[in-house]
Amino acid sequence: MKTVKVKNVIIGEGMPKICVPIAGRSREEIIRQAERITGVSCDLVEIRIDYFEQFEDIGVVGELLETLNKIISQPVIFTLRTTGEGGEAEISKEKYLEYLKLVLATGMADFIDVELFQGEELVKEIVREAHRLGVKVILSNHDFNKTPVKFEIIARLIKMQSLNADIAKIAVMPSTVDDLLTLLSATHEVNSQFGEIPIVTMSMGKTGILSRMAGQIFGSAITFGTVGISSAPGQLEAGELKDMLELINRNLEKE
């Protein structure tokens, strides 16, 4: 499997990297969240710009990203999550494409999240532009209603890989423990048999908590932890999550 290195963070080897989301409504709230993160040991920060009440004003967003980059030392993931995938942004595909290209032009993001189901041609265009500008692409899919069958999870992750993503991500909602096992089994199969890029998978809610801790065993390269505000159900507090990951890692390394 290829790894992805941004700044001093290598994704796809060792312990899953911890990403903390920022999901504030106002500029002041977002900056406060960023300042809180500076005292936390995490590897990545995700800016969930769809929560920002002024997200449609790209000038304001660019200035905000510039400010955040002065506060945050970790690589930044820029995410505009649409309502169709559990986010806050109601936006057409045309506006989505235009928006992400404008964000890329700011030079303020290390990664950009692109939703797989926005369409293949849109995805290809954003991937080309991101890579031209040296920005890594996380292709993603989020299902807040169910856990697809194993074959479908695998197919979506392989599709993301075929579209030249740097990282492939899928999050699903379990109804039963069997759904959790489906997600973990699909993760392991892609990672061990088909994976050429790092993959990120999670089963949301209380039933899926194990998936956020067991990435090193099944093959998920990033996990999401909170510092105050969560951006999805089932996220654990970042400090506690790191302790659990380190415990698992120490025992895996024992002879």
Side-chain angles (χ1 to χ4, degrees), residues 110-149:
D110 300 293
F111 295 87
I112 193 161
D113 181 291
V114 184
E115 295 171 355
L116 175 67
F117 287 153
Q118 290 291 334
E120 188 167 323
E121 291 308 310
L122 182 151
V123 166
K124 286 179 178 179
E125 186 169 348
I126 290 295
V127 169
R128 281 194 300 268
E129 183 66 5
H131 287 167
R132 184 182 73 82
L133 295 170
V135 177
K136 304 297 186 184
V137 176
I138 300 174
L139 271 183
S140 68
N141 171 234
H142 301 75
D143 192 328
F144 278 75
N145 297 313
K146 65 183 184 305
T147 297
V149 297

Side-chain angles (χ1 to χ4, degrees), residues 157-216:
L157 290 168
I158 292 175
K159 180 66 173 178
M160 294 171 190
Q161 186 170 278
S162 74
L163 291 171
N164 207 24
D166 297 287
I167 296 173
K169 176 191 175 191
I170 190 165
V172 298
M173 184 64 73
S175 298
T176 65
V177 172
D178 285 339
D179 285 341
L180 167 62
L181 295 175
T182 294
L183 184 279
L184 293 175
S185 180
T187 303
H188 173 66
E189 188 165 327
V190 172
N191 184 60
S192 62
Q193 298 184 34
F194 307 108
E196 297 175 5
I197 61 174
I199 63 172
V200 179
T201 68
M202 62 211 69
S203 184
M204 295 182 282
K206 293 180 180 179
T207 301
I209 283 175
L210 178 64
S211 70
R212 298 183 181 276
M213 299 182 285
Q216 193 165 353

Side-chain angles (χ1 to χ4, degrees), residues 213-214 216-217 244-253:
M213 299 182 285
Q216 193 165 353
I217 297 170
M244 288 183 277
L245 293 177
E246 289 180 338
L247 176 63
I248 292 169
N249 183 62
R250 284 196 301 274
N251 282 276
L252 289 174
E253 289 181 343

